Amino acid sequence: MAKLRRMVTEVTYIWYEAELTDEQAKAYKEGDEINKWDIIEEVEDDMDFVRDKPISDNVEYELIEE
């Protein structure tokens, strides 16, 4: 029996946000890459979903003959 397979490749952009304290915002703005990553690690678990945007969804069909 033959089958038809569909493979879908999706690309979606997703935005998350977290509130920063004044000290965190200042440290992020004025800091080097290490300081920025420290702030990111502090707030990453508290980030909330803001929005998403599907960019594309490509579909490929393949006939499978047995």
Side-chain angles (χ1 to χ4, degrees):
M1 174 188 291
K3 297 178 184 179
L4 187 60
R5 177 181 293 154
R6 178 177 73 170
M7 182 184 78
V8 179
T9 304
E10 295 180 339
V11 176
T12 303
Y13 292 162
I14 303 172
W15 286 265
Y16 296 92
E17 290 180 358
E19 295 280 335
L20 298 180
T21 64
D22 291 340
E23 294 86 19
Q24 288 171 324
K26 182 179 179 182
Y28 189 88
K29 184 177 179 181
E30 297 173 357
D32 59 11
E33 287 299 313
I34 293 173
N35 290 342
K36 289 181 180 183
W37 277 108
D38 289 343
I39 301 300
I40 291 168
E41 288 176 353
E42 285 178 28
V43 301
E44 193 165 32
D45 291 337
D46 297 325
M47 290 190 147
D48 295 318
F49 173 82
V50 177
R51 70 181 180 116
D52 65 348
K53 180 176 182 168
I55 301 300
S56 67
D57 57 346
N58 298 320
V59 178
E60 293 181 32
Y61 292 92
E62 174 186 359
L63 178 62
I64 303 167
E65 299 181 86
E66 296 180 2

